[in-house]
């Protein structure tokens, strides 16, 4: 059994222009100690998914449905009070997109790390010691405890944010674009830190990024998301070497290669409006292989034991 199971997650927002169908049935599993990558371009629904998993969605959510399991327990139907007491930050935590820029500027970073422990009535000395251990775990000196955010570099702030996410010893951490605000060299240092944490702490991760190359640096499996649907999931090797969905293929072809002979290509067209959602495959307007069944709802087909694709091209596999 997987540590974490998400099934058919749907999130719609109410807006003045109509209902925005941000997520339209996303399913995936994360095993213990595994990093599952969620890759998709801007606006595909990655942050909505992350916020939904922790029940931190904005007020204008009109519809949130699906099922979520953690260690075999249904956590979707837990009352909010229990979810807050047992799950959020304690078993599942998150590094928000852009979090390093939203540290409290007037609070010492150590106190920002100990805050949830203090709220949980952990004695001050124990909370302090734990924060220092967390700072050391993420590669910072314990002296950083007394500093203010403006005294730290971007890379140090991102380490603090990761320490904050780890302080209650979660089983699963969601990382939403955890390096996108950093210089490339600092980005590599943070990736090394995350790889070490994954290995040393057997931490499970949901690693969210628009950058498939970055995801391939740490993830064991990948899910590719397009217009709020998971169009393909598989092992890192399957998805990178044998991409099945035309969108995954286009995404890979648009990624520059260091030693490649071919120039990266652009994916023609734009993603569909999430307000007037077409039936059938959301990628079909941009797809070079679109054919007549593509305007009908697309099931998920298993192309191998571990690879699944939501595309009619693979429809004959199950007959
Ligand atoms: N609170 C909101 N109200 C209305 N639309 C939203 C809201 N948050 C996100 N969206 C829309 O939902 C879609 C998915 O957004 P998001 O989850 O942020 O994607 P990503 O993180 O992949 O860039 C986008 O079209 C975005 O404009
Ligand atoms: Mg986002």
């Amino acid at each position: 059994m997987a540590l974490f199971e998400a099934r058919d997650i749907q999130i719609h927002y109410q807006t003045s222009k109509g209902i925005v169908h941000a997520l339209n049935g996303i399913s995936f599993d994360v095993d213990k100690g595994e990093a599952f990558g969620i890759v998709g371009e801007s606006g595909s629904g990655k942050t909505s998914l992350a916020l939904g998993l922790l029940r931190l969605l904005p007020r204008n959510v009109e519809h949130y449905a699906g099922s979520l399991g953690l260690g075999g327990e249904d956590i979707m139907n837990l009352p909010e009070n229990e979810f807050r007491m047992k799950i959020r930050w304690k078993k599942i935590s998150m590094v928000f997109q852009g979090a390093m820029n939203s540290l409290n500027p007037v609070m010492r970073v150590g106190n920002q790390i100990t805050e949830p422990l203090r709220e949980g009535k952990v004695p001050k000395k124990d909370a302090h010691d734990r924060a220092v251990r967390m700072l050391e775990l993420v590669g910072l000196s314990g002296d950083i405890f007394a500093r203010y955010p403006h005294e730290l570099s971007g890379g140090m702030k991102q380490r603090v944010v990761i320490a904050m996410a780890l302080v209650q010893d979660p089983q699963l951490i969601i990382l939403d674009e955890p390096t996108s605000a950093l210089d490339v060299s600092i980005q590599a240092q943070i990736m090394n830190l995350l790889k070490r944490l994954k290995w040393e702490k057997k931490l499970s991760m949901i690693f969210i990024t628009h950058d498939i190359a970055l995801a391939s640096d740490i993830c064991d499996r990948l899910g590719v998301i397009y217009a709020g649907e998971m169009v393909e999931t598989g092992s890192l090797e399957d998805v990178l070497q044998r991409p099945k969905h035309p969108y995954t293929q286009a995404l890979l072809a648009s990624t520059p290669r260091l030693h490649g002979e071919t120039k990266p290509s652009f994916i023609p067209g734009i993603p569909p409006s999430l307000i007037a959602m077409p039936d059938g495959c959301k990628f079909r307007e941009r797809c070079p292989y679109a054919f007549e069944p593509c305007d009908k709802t697309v099931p998920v087909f298993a192309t191998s034991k571990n690879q699944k694709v939501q595309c009619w091209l693979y429809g004959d596999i199950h007959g």
Side-chain angles (χ1 to χ4, degrees):
M1 186 187 62
L3 171 73
F4 179 76
E5 295 179 342
R7 290 290 172 274
D8 199 21
I9 302 298
Q10 301 160 32
I11 296 174
H12 301 164
Y13 298 109
Q14 178 84 59
T15 72
S16 58
K17 298 205 178 84
I19 305 291
V20 174
H21 300 76
L23 287 189
N24 304 295
I26 295 268
S27 302
F28 62 97
D29 292 347
V30 187
D31 285 330
K32 182 164 168 48
E34 178 182 69
F36 181 73
I38 295 182
V39 180
E41 61 200 296
S42 176
S44 56
K46 305 181 298 297
T47 296
S48 299
L49 174 63
L51 296 175
L53 299 183
L54 274 187
R55 292 198 196 171
L56 294 172
L57 285 162
R59 298 256 288 279
N60 64 329
V61 166
E62 182 260 352
H63 172 73
Y64 177 34
S67 64
L68 293 174
L70 182 71
E73 183 188 8
D74 168 9
I75 59 166
M76 189 71 168
N77 295 306
L78 278 185
E80 171 54 27
N81 187 36
E82 265 185 70
F83 191 85
R84 179 170 55 77
M85 300 281 289
K86 285 174 38 187
I87 308 293
R88 189 187 303 126
W89 307 126
K90 298 190 173 70
K91 289 191 176 164
I92 306 178
S93 78
M94 177 162 170
V95 169
F96 292 103
Q97 186 167 2
M100 61 182 240
N101 297 319
S102 45
L103 286 166
N104 185 338
V106 297
M107 194 171 172
R108 295 182 198 278
V109 297
N111 292 335
Q112 301 191 48
I113 298 173
T114 58
E115 205 172 22
L117 302 176
R118 301 287 293 133
E119 280 168 12
K121 307 279 184 278
V122 174
K124 193 167 182 184
K125 170 86 171 64
D126 294 353
H128 174 274
D129 292 351
R130 173 129 187 103
V132 168
R133 279 207 306 282
M134 286 298 121
L135 286 167
E136 290 168 352
L137 178 70
V138 298
L140 294 170
S141 146
D143 306 347
I144 299 291
F145 189 100
R147 302 274 194 88
Y148 289 94
H150 71 88
E151 299 178 274
L152 308 184
S153 69
M156 291 162 91
K157 281 193 273 189
Q158 192 63 352
R159 287 174 196 266
V160 167
V161 168
I162 293 169
M164 288 168 77
L166 295 179
V167 73
Q168 299 191 76
D169 210 13
Q171 298 172 304
L172 174 69
I173 177 169
I174 303 167
L175 300 144
D176 189 2
E177 309 263 12
T179 66
S180 60
L182 299 168
D183 294 344
V184 178
S185 64
I186 310 295
Q187 188 173 23
Q189 292 174 13
I190 297 294
M191 290 306 288
N192 286 339
L193 166 65
L194 294 174
K195 283 190 261 185
R196 179 166 64 74
L197 291 171
K198 173 175 177 258
W199 173 246
E200 279 180 12
K201 313 240 350 145
K202 299 278 172 287
L203 198 60
S204 306
M205 297 180 173
I206 297 177
F207 185 90
I208 295 177
T209 178
H210 64 278
D211 182 346
I212 197 164
L214 191 69
S216 68
D217 192 30
I218 190 167
C219 296
D220 305 288
R221 289 191 307 122
L222 292 183
V224 178
I225 173 172
Y226 183 78
E229 293 182 350
M230 194 80 99
V231 295
E232 177 159 4
T233 52
S235 69
L236 184 66
E237 198 192 321
D238 279 342
V239 175
L240 294 185
Q241 309 290 337
R242 293 172 286 280
K244 294 288 189 296
H245 199 285
Y247 177 64
T248 315
Q249 294 169 357
L251 197 63
L252 282 165
S254 71
T255 305
R257 297 275 168 83
L258 197 53
H259 302 292
E261 298 287 310
T262 47
K263 287 211 180 103
S265 57
F266 293 97
I267 309 176
I270 51 162
S273 158
L274 298 174
I275 292 182
M277 274 303 242
D279 286 337
C281 175
K282 310 289 177 282
F283 188 60
R284 71 172 191 273
E285 302 290 336
R286 303 170 78 184
C287 181
Y289 308 106
F291 66 133
E292 147 249 351
C294 300
D295 57 3
K296 294 187 198 60
T297 304
V298 198
V300 174
F301 299 104
T303 57
S304 70
K305 189 164 154 278
N306 298 314
Q307 197 170 10
K308 290 181 185 147
V309 58
Q310 190 170 350
C311 173
W312 279 115
L313 287 174
Y314 304 88
D316 54 329
I317 286 173
H318 282 317

